Amino acid sequence: MKRSEILEAARRCVCGEREQDYGTPENNFETIGLLWGVYLRAAHPEIRLPINGITAKDAGAMMALLKVARIATGSSPDSFVDLAGYVACA
């Protein structure tokens, strides 16, 4: 895919109908951050993470890192589209 195609596909994803299905990315990332924080507090009490220690921005950035890891081990155009979308939302 060309970079313009990747960006257009990501724009359709983050500015399209998904918000109707899943709510805003900001609210979704906030929920993800809260759930990850609860998990990390339970699994690693030595970290002493505050309840809301993982912000929506953190969650978006870490979702982007997940896509980077997938790209590093074998990429598909979808991974680049998803990465652009996560970064835009973060």
Side-chain angles (χ1 to χ4, degrees):
M1 291 179 82
K2 295 179 182 177
R3 68 186 105 149
S4 61
E5 294 171 322
I6 289 170
L7 293 171
E8 177 57 25
R11 186 198 65 75
R12 284 193 310 270
C13 288
V14 300
C15 299
E17 295 179 8
R18 286 186 182 191
E19 195 164 305
Q20 294 171 353
D21 296 333
Y22 302 110
T24 66
E26 294 82 4
N27 287 345
N28 191 253
F29 287 176
E30 183 178 354
T31 301
I32 291 167
L34 289 169
L35 292 170
W36 284 352
V38 169
Y39 171 83
L40 288 171
R41 285 170 55 97
H44 301 281
E46 72 278 6
I47 294 176
R48 296 187 180 158
L49 185 70
I51 295 288
N52 59 349
I54 299 175
T55 66
K57 181 176 141 185
D58 294 331
M62 289 190 287
M63 295 294 288
L65 289 172
L66 175 129
K67 291 299 174 175
V68 169
R70 286 191 177 166
I71 289 167
T73 59
S75 63
S76 80
D78 287 347
S79 292
F80 288 98
V81 171
D82 292 346
L83 175 60
Y86 285 132
V87 171
C89 291

